[in-house]
Amino acid sequence: MKIAIACHPTYGGSGVVAAELGMELARRGHEVHYVSYEPPFRVSRVMENIFFHDVEVLTYPLFRYPSYALPLAAKLTEVIRAHGVGIMHAHYAIPHSISAILAKQMCRACGVRIVTTLHGTDITLVGNDRSFYEITRFGIEESDAVTAVSEYLARETHKQFAVTRAISVVPNFVDTEIYAPERRSEALRRRFAAPNERLLVHISNFRRVKRVLDVVEVFARIARATPARLLMVGAGPDLAAAELRLAELGLKERASFVGPVADVAELLACGDLFLLPSESESFGLAALEAMACGVPVIGTRAGGLPELIQDGESGILAEIGAVEEMARRGLELLEDVESHRAMSRTARDVARRRFPIASVVDRYVALYEEVSAAGGAR
Ligand code: GMT
């Protein structure tokens, strides 16, 4: 099959899913065309069957707000025509599904089909803002197939957008060969923590929804009781506030900020606990990657996280903002070697059994085949 993927290439879960999915499709012999303003950060550009098409945005004094959605639609149309693309896979409703709908209209005779994957904030934050509500709804209604990354997100989409169409749940996935406890390197770990110190890890794009200050508060409470260090991976609006709070608490020297790192498997595998105290999380891909590395996650009972983590078995769940409870239970786990080992094993087992890359990508391929058959796509 020939598949065009439109996604946000920046640091974030939807870009990771688009990148990992495209690379797995390419390994299986499908032709994958990324269409974006830069390659998704995890995509290896030298892989066979992977192509990248740059969307250029014209700035012109008359345009106070230059449009990205229109040149993206134009570029998708070019790619469909030049390469005989049969499927456009839009990751994140805005603006990708809308550009895909335009591209489909511009080359009606091509029979190209649209699969839109909803990732989370495209529904829960951006899509339900008044300025984007109707266009998001249109993108959902007009796609040939729509998937959501969790039951929670599918439910929210039906509820918030009053759409009746079918939304298939295709969860996030992980390559458990790459995300594995064996990736732990003592040499790398020593850069962030001494052997007697516990290493707490957080990865995100440091947006408000991630509650990065709760990460700091949980860490501070644990670090008061036991020697501990914090490893912060990623960058974003709340990074400076996190650094400031650590400095106020006298803990700045105990935290490392390494910025956005594409290959996080080794960093995750060095951790003793992964913190994801988000206010909303449609799935929590970073948590899944930590679990695959055998690192227990402390998360919130928010969004799709309870579909991933069973409290007390494969991780710890607390209410949003319950930093005392998160710290107390995190500390108990760190101090009980047997429980920590058991939770680490269960977490890895859940990742391998329920979210393996091969079977989740099979589901996307089956969906592509289904919509192609329904529309006679190439
Ligand atoms: O985590 C983020 O904020 C990035 C965001 C994105 O769209 O890039 O991630 C969303 O999509 C991921 C992949 O499907 C999910 O695992 C994340 O849970 C989801 N983030 C939120 O819902 C906040």
Side-chain angles (χ1 to χ4, degrees):
M1 265 185 280
K2 295 183 179 186
I3 303 134
I5 295 183
C7 63
H8 292 293
T10 43
Y11 210 69
S14 60
V16 172
V17 171
E20 299 287 356
L21 170 63
M23 290 191 290
E24 176 62 14
L25 290 167
R27 280 190 284 272
R28 294 179 181 199
H30 300 289
E31 199 174 291
V32 176
H33 296 265
Y34 285 100
V35 185
S36 188
Y37 58 89
E38 64 187 34
F41 73 98
R42 265 203 202 172
V43 169
S44 156
R45 291 181 75 176
V46 293
M47 265 182 78
E48 207 177 333
N49 296 329
I50 294 270
F51 302 89
F52 175 71
H53 306 272
D54 191 27
V55 179
E56 284 171 62
V57 178
L58 175 75
T59 53
Y60 184 68
L62 191 67
F63 303 158
R64 185 150 171 207
Y65 303 109
S67 165
Y68 173 68
L70 297 181
L72 172 60
K75 183 57 83 176
L76 280 167
T77 307
E78 273 173 36
V79 173
I80 293 163
R81 288 198 180 124
H83 299 276
V85 162
I87 296 285
M88 282 183 280
H89 194 160
H91 286 268
Y92 209 89
I94 297 295
H96 305 119
S97 65
I98 308 305
S99 302
I101 291 164
L102 272 175
K104 183 178 170 182
Q105 287 185 357
M106 283 193 280
C107 43
R108 266 202 193 100
C110 305
V112 65
R113 311 289 282 168
I114 303 169
V115 174
T116 292
T117 290
L118 308 172
H119 281 274
T121 50
D122 46 354
I123 295 302
T124 57
L125 289 178
V126 179
N128 64 15
D129 183 87
R130 197 146 34 104
S131 60
F132 278 119
Y133 182 82
E134 284 300 341
I135 197 84
T136 303
R137 190 164 195 271
F138 178 73
I140 296 166
E141 295 279 18
E142 294 299 313
S143 296
D144 296 296
V146 176
T147 75
V149 297
S150 60
E151 298 285 349
Y152 154 81
L153 188 59
R155 259 193 328 270
E156 276 304 294
T157 308
H158 279 128
K159 197 167 87 192
Q160 295 192 21
F161 290 88
V163 286
T164 49
R165 67 160 308 149
I167 297 176
S168 322
V169 175
V170 182
N172 287 175
F173 54 87
V174 65
D175 185 335
T176 53
E177 300 286 313
I178 293 172
Y179 288 80
E182 293 72 35
R183 295 296 297 279
R184 181 174 172 121
S185 141
E186 293 309 327
L188 179 66
R189 193 182 190 279
R190 269 196 299 277
R191 283 171 49 188
F192 308 113
N196 67 319
E197 292 171 324
R198 315 322 295 262
L199 184 61
L200 278 58
V201 184
H202 172 75
I203 301 180
S204 77
N205 42 26
F206 288 69
R207 285 184 284 154
R208 184 178 293 175
V209 69
K210 300 291 174 182
R211 295 184 68 97
V212 182
L213 291 182
D214 284 2
V215 171
V216 173
E217 295 301 331
V218 173
F219 169 67
R221 284 158 177 76
I222 290 179
R224 252 182 244 138
T226 193
R229 299 264 175 181
L230 179 63
L231 174 58
M232 302 283 254
V233 185
D238 283 354
L239 189 145
E243 281 184 318
L244 187 67
R245 184 68 186 133
L246 281 161
E248 282 169 7
L249 293 162
L251 290 169
K252 196 150 181 242
E253 304 309 314
R254 307 195 70 77
S256 306
F257 286 77
V258 295
V261 174
D263 178 7
V264 290
E266 283 194 344
L267 293 177
L268 280 170
C270 288
D272 297 303
L273 275 183
F274 184 81
L275 303 179
L276 195 65
S278 309
E279 187 166 316
S280 162
E281 201 65 67
S282 67
F283 182 91
L285 178 58
L288 173 61
E289 291 178 337
M291 289 166 70
C293 290
V295 180
V297 175
I298 299 187
T300 43
R301 281 189 201 93
L305 279 175
E307 293 172 46
L308 172 64
I309 297 167
Q310 201 189 347
D311 187 25
E313 299 289 328
S314 53
I316 291 171
L317 291 179
E319 295 306 319
I320 298 163
V323 293
E324 299 293 346
E325 183 191 344
M326 291 182 209
R328 178 181 52 75
R329 294 183 64 194
L331 195 59
E332 280 166 12
L333 189 66
L334 289 172
E335 285 175 344
D336 181 345
V337 179
E338 268 316 304
S339 299
H340 187 274
R341 192 173 294 143
M343 193 173 276
S344 156
R345 273 206 210 105
T346 310
R348 163 104 181 134
D349 191 48
V350 167
R352 286 172 71 170
R353 270 190 303 107
R354 294 187 44 214
F355 307 103
I357 183 167
S359 51
V360 178
V361 173
D362 283 350
R363 290 171 64 182
Y364 278 119
V365 171
L367 190 63
Y368 297 161
E369 283 166 352
E370 203 180 294
V371 291
S372 299
R378 282 175 274 191

